[in-house]
Amino acid sequence: MLLGLVLVVASVGGGLLFWGSTRETVPVLVASRELPAGHVIQNDDLTVARVRLEGDLSSLAIPDARLGEAVGQATAGPVHAGEMLVWPDL
């Protein structure tokens, strides 16, 4: 009976850890409006959204802490409103 109780507690704890890790989000920069190719980014062109990133997206996405590096850069191509800004976009 004790072994069964330990197994139930372990499975509930593991499930909670797994569920918590799948909901982990990070703040990234997204376009607040349509940005044409060659547009020089200003502060009001961007907003912050919390997203869950997987794989290569985590290294391409621009975190909100690096807003200062994105402002003043020109867009390489069009960026649509609500689209996450990634380094190749600059």
Side-chain angles (χ1 to χ4, degrees):
M1 178 117 150
L2 184 60
L3 178 60
L5 182 60
V6 168
L7 288 174
V8 168
V9 169
S11 66
V12 168
L16 289 174
L17 284 174
F18 175 74
W19 181 71
S21 69
T22 60
R23 297 193 47 152
E24 186 175 324
T25 59
V26 294
V28 297
L29 299 177
V30 297
S32 58
R33 63 174 138 264
E34 297 287 324
L35 305 175
H39 177 78
V40 177
I41 296 175
Q42 303 299 313
N43 276 332
D44 59 343
D45 291 329
L46 304 173
T47 190
V48 176
R50 294 195 67 85
V51 298
R52 188 176 62 141
L53 299 175
E54 296 179 5
D56 293 338
L57 275 180
S58 60
S59 64
L60 293 176
I62 303 175
D64 67 333
R66 297 182 71 181
L67 172 67
E69 294 177 48
V71 171
Q73 298 283 332
T75 57
V79 180
H80 303 288
E83 183 178 338
M84 182 174 66
L85 198 65
V86 292
W87 291 113
D89 287 340
L90 305 179

